[in-house]
Structure formats: C-alpha cells, structure tokens
Amino acid sequence: MSTAAIEPEPDFGASTSPSAIRSALLPEDVAEFDRDYEHALDVAREQLSLTDLVETLASWSRVARSTQADPAAHRRMLQAADKTLQTGQAPAGSRSWSTFKTELGLQ
C-alpha cells in the first residue's frame, strides 16, 4: 500500500506574513489591505484553494516593501492616484501607455 507524500506547508517568510505586511503599510492603506485580505480568506474557504490568498499577500508585500523604501514617495503616489480618480485627469507630465510604447520603439 502506498501513501501520498505529504507536502510541507510553504514558507513565505516573516516579511510576507499578514501582520508584517499590515504593519509596514501607511495608515491610509490599512483598510484596503484588510478588505483584500478578508476577501482572499473567504475565497480560500469557499474554493479550498490558497491561490488567491497567496497572490493577495504577494501583491501587498510589494506595496509594503515600496512603502518602507520611501514612505513619502508612496504617499505622493497615493495622492496623485486619488486626484486622478476624482478628476479623471491624468497627472501633469504623464503620457499614455500607447505613447510610452511608441517612445520605447515597441509599436
């Protein structure tokens, strides 16, 4: 009789734990992280899959690292994004993805 090998739980490291990610965020990001994390937990429970949870934590881990690297720059980016969402106007000096690809010679 053979038994299936038991795979060890993945080790994502302490810096990708939900509490470590949450503590590295700016206060204005915490509520959105909490919503995304709760949603990913619900999906994991319903689908019996950790894929969404792992992807959510990986995404927020990148945000946390960016925040820790330069909190002021991250805050400016959030403010610019919020202004763009409120006004519908792109930030001054920005260009479209199509224009940028052309500049890079990709179109």
Side-chain angles (χ1 to χ4, degrees), residues 5-32:
I6 297 174
E7 295 290 323
E9 288 289 327
D11 179 12
F12 299 108
S15 66
T16 57
S17 74
S19 61
I21 292 168
R22 190 176 194 276
S23 69
L25 297 173
L26 294 174
E28 51 264 52
D29 280 335
V30 170
E32 186 177 357

Side-chain angles (χ1 to χ4, degrees), residues 39 52 57 61 67 91 105:
H39 176 74
D52 193 62
L57 291 175
S61 180
T67 300

Side-chain angles (χ1 to χ4, degrees), residues 3 16 56 91 100:
T3 59
T16 57
T56 297
F100 188 59

Side-chain angles (χ1 to χ4, degrees), residues 48-66:
L48 300 177
S49 170
L50 295 176
T51 301
D52 193 62
L53 180 60
V54 169
E55 289 173 355
T56 297
L57 291 175
S59 176
W60 277 103
S61 180
R62 288 188 293 275
V63 172
R65 283 193 306 272
S66 171

Side-chain angles (χ1 to χ4, degrees), residues 5 19 24 42 46 72 77:
S19 61
D42 291 342
E46 292 167 9
M77 181 274 304

